[in-house]
Amino acid sequence: MLNFAAGLLIAYLIGSISFAVVVSKFVGLADPRTYGSKNPGATNVLRSGNKKAAVLTLLGDALKGTLAVALAFHFQDQLGYSRTDIAWIGLAAFIGHLYPVFFKFEGGKGVATALGVLLGLNWVLGLATAITWIVIAYFFRYSSLAALIAALFAVFYNALLFGINGQAAAITIMSALLIYRHKQNIANLIAGKESKIGQKKS
């Protein structure tokens, strides 16, 4: 139990590293929480016009989710983690991204980190979810819409691959939180006011 609690805490701290803020500061951009959607994520960083910073943000946010899960798998035998435990550790990293202790609990919406967690749990699960995002984003040009649909399909893909179990519960909660964090985007989509990918927003 203590090992599991430690795993959750470490994963949360890893998830709390906001690469949107760190990368933006490193390359001399404004804090992404001060412009556009004010969301510290890759899509909002892209609105600055700096594609390299957006890519670095995307990779960093995804890799921290994968890292938290990979570490749990690496020490699985020593610490006695089950696959369900590892899925919940991945969820802790995701929550760290949403509510980062290092950045006054003002985090992003979790798309890249959620994908990183899914890839860490199973590459087929992560790849299927990523392809879903890419297809929707390509045809509709809305990052938020792609994220919402991919989140729903992630639950379906996981059930198809692993059935209904503890991992399914963790992924369902992760998807529900991701959708909740997009509530304003949902309202904007309905109102026809949502910004498209690459569109600058004052």
Side-chain angles (χ1 to χ4, degrees):
M1 189 66 177
L2 186 60
N3 288 340
F4 179 54
L8 292 174
L9 176 60
I10 292 170
Y12 170 78
L13 293 175
I14 291 173
S16 289
I17 302 170
S18 178
F19 280 91
V21 178
V22 172
V23 169
S24 293
K25 186 172 183 179
F26 181 76
V27 301
L29 295 175
D31 189 321
R33 295 171 295 180
T34 64
Y35 63 84
S37 65
K38 295 182 172 57
N39 174 60
T43 301
N44 199 40
V45 172
L46 184 60
R47 292 190 178 107
S48 71
N50 191 318
K51 293 181 180 179
K52 182 183 290 187
V55 170
L56 288 174
T57 298
L58 178 68
L59 290 175
D61 283 344
L63 287 173
K64 68 184 182 184
T66 303
L67 175 62
V69 174
L71 285 173
F73 271 122
H74 182 74
F75 293 105
Q76 181 176 16
D77 293 336
Q78 296 95 313
L79 300 177
Y81 291 153
S82 66
R83 188 171 185 90
T84 295
D85 291 337
I86 295 172
W88 285 90
I89 286 170
L91 175 61
F94 174 77
I95 292 174
H97 177 81
L98 301 188
Y99 307 104
V101 67
F102 304 129
F103 297 92
K104 301 179 180 179
F105 303 101
E106 298 174 2
K109 294 174 183 175
V111 178
T113 304
L115 178 59
V117 170
L118 295 176
L119 285 168
L121 289 172
N122 180 269
W123 71 268
V124 176
L125 172 62
L127 182 60
T129 305
I131 290 173
T132 301
W133 187 96
I134 290 169
V135 169
I136 300 302
Y138 177 80
F139 284 105
F140 295 96
R141 308 303 298 171
Y142 290 111
S143 175
S144 56
L145 179 63
L148 292 167
I149 294 175
L152 293 173
F153 270 87
V155 176
F156 169 73
Y157 295 143
N158 182 74
L160 199 62
L161 289 167
F162 300 103
I164 306 300
N165 50 29
Q167 176 170 303
I171 290 176
T172 299
I173 291 172
M174 185 167 69
S175 295
L177 284 170
L178 189 149
I179 291 170
Y180 170 74
R181 294 285 285 191
H182 281 78
K183 60 184 183 298
Q184 185 58 54
N185 301 90
I186 294 171
N188 290 341
L189 284 165
I190 293 171
K193 298 178 180 179
E194 182 72 347
S195 297
K196 293 190 175 183
I197 293 174
Q199 179 181 337
K200 291 187 179 181
K201 186 175 178 181
S202 59

